[in-house]
Amino acid sequence: MPADPVPGTGHAPTPGPGSNRPHVLILGGTTEARRLAESLTAAGAGAPYRVTTSLAGRVTSPALPPGETRIGGFGGPAGLAAWITTHRVTHLIDATHPFAERMSFNAAEAAALSGVPLLALRRPGWSPGPGDRWHFADSLAEAAALLPDLGSRAFLTTGRMGLHSFAHLTEPWFLVRSVDPPEGAVPPHLEVLLARGPFTLPDERDLLTHHRIDVLVTKDSGGSATAPKLTAAREAGIPVLVVRRPPVPAGVPQAASVAEALRRLDYDQPR
Ligand code: NAP
């Protein structure tokens, strides 16, 4: 197989002795995608799979996972299907963020077009526990409509891409935490904290206290453990506005953890 350039990274993958190994394409951008790539490449040249992780290119300096990487959109489902065929991908894993709705539907359509099996690696959502004061919204726009009744100093952790949904809110003060600076329309009373997780419970407690936060806004990103920000909000007795997950494509097999995805891959591995 020819060595294709890796868009956006300036280097080419090395076609090794295992270039006829099964080829796993991981649609990434999450911690789980990175862990999966780490596990699948742990044996180095002796690993049973060739692994490529695809990133959307939203973050300026992404932490690249091991294995091969490519960065940028494919040009819709047909483009992804063409990439799969050209690069002899044998397994497609949608390990994108639960809120990357379009890419998950693209993956399902591309898998159908190319005939390659698709597995969605989707971490479980969060559930409220005793002492939690959660309110739910079906979208960022609905969250923005509910927010003014819940608090006036909001810790907004829904990511910089959706900030425009809150831009018309002139009364609340917002603390926004993101990896890169926000672009486009933002609310007028805003402080930006540039930081990359994971964050600890003591960090989150300090942050809520220091900024006198009285409402937390989050997507139901989920994960194996309760996020420290949710625990800190419960301890502080402040309400949490949770944006529910978007729909997922029907009929796609799912794994809830990296371990489960690895088990399924072994099972699927051509023999
Ligand atoms: P999206 O709305 O579902 O996707 C928009 C377009 O971005 C897709 O149509 C695709 O372009 C491209 N794209 C998305 N993920 C890609 C990937 N892994 N590799 C190559 N192209 C990709 O996605 P999004 O919500 O903007 O998220 C973008 C990326 O950030 C995802 O990879 C996701 O895992 C990560 N992320 C998202 C969130 C979130 O809250 N949405 C949070 C953390 C991380 P083409 O149609 O041209 O192929």
Side-chain angles (χ1 to χ4, degrees):
M1 187 174 299
D4 299 336
V6 183
T9 62
H11 60 266
T14 312
S19 56
N20 56 0
R21 294 172 292 176
H23 185 184
V24 180
L25 174 61
I26 302 172
L27 303 174
T30 57
T31 307
E32 287 78 11
R34 155 173 287 279
R35 293 208 177 121
L36 184 63
E38 285 167 356
S39 299
L40 288 172
T41 57
Y49 293 103
R50 176 186 170 191
V51 177
T52 302
T53 299
S54 174
L55 300 171
R58 301 280 189 274
V59 177
T60 315
S61 305
L64 295 178
E68 299 168 29
T69 48
R70 63 160 308 285
I71 299 181
F74 293 92
L80 175 54
W83 201 96
I84 286 170
T85 304
T86 307
H87 295 81
R88 297 186 200 165
V89 170
T90 54
H91 301 72
L92 178 61
I93 302 196
D94 172 18
T96 57
H97 191 272
F99 281 78
E101 182 180 1
R102 196 182 325 157
M103 198 57 190
S104 291
F105 279 88
N106 285 2
E109 202 175 327
L113 286 170
S114 60
V116 163
L118 168 65
L119 177 68
L121 171 51
R122 201 157 281 127
R123 46 178 120 143
W126 290 314
S127 309
D132 280 325
R133 297 171 55 200
W134 288 16
H135 302 255
F136 290 93
D138 282 327
S139 64
L140 290 176
E142 191 183 341
L146 296 173
L147 182 65
D149 287 337
L150 295 174
S152 58
R153 294 183 66 81
F155 181 24
L156 194 54
T157 63
T158 47
R160 67 189 177 109
M161 306 303 279
L163 274 186
H164 57 89
S165 299
F166 299 86
H168 62 287
L169 295 180
T170 53
E171 292 296 322
W173 177 87
F174 289 93
L175 177 66
V176 168
R177 183 167 66 193
S178 59
V179 176
D180 285 323
E183 292 163 10
V186 297
H189 307 299
L190 174 87
E191 184 173 328
V192 177
L193 183 61
L194 294 182
R196 194 194 293 261
F199 305 102
T200 66
L201 182 55
D203 289 343
E204 302 295 46
R205 283 185 188 128
D206 287 352
L207 187 145
L208 296 188
T209 307
H210 179 74
H211 293 282
R212 294 179 288 116
I213 299 297
D214 59 12
V215 58
L216 167 67
V217 189
T218 182
K219 291 175 174 173
D220 179 13
S221 299
S224 51
T226 303
K229 64 184 172 186
L230 296 173
T231 305
R234 180 193 309 139
E235 289 177 357
I238 66 172
V240 179
L241 187 45
V242 180
V243 182
R244 288 196 182 94
R245 293 179 172 197
V248 293
V252 176
Q254 296 200 26
S257 65
V258 171
E260 189 184 342
L262 289 169
R263 278 198 299 275
R264 282 173 172 265
L265 267 177
D266 278 338
Y267 182 76
D268 282 340
Q269 185 179 348
R271 292 167 203 281

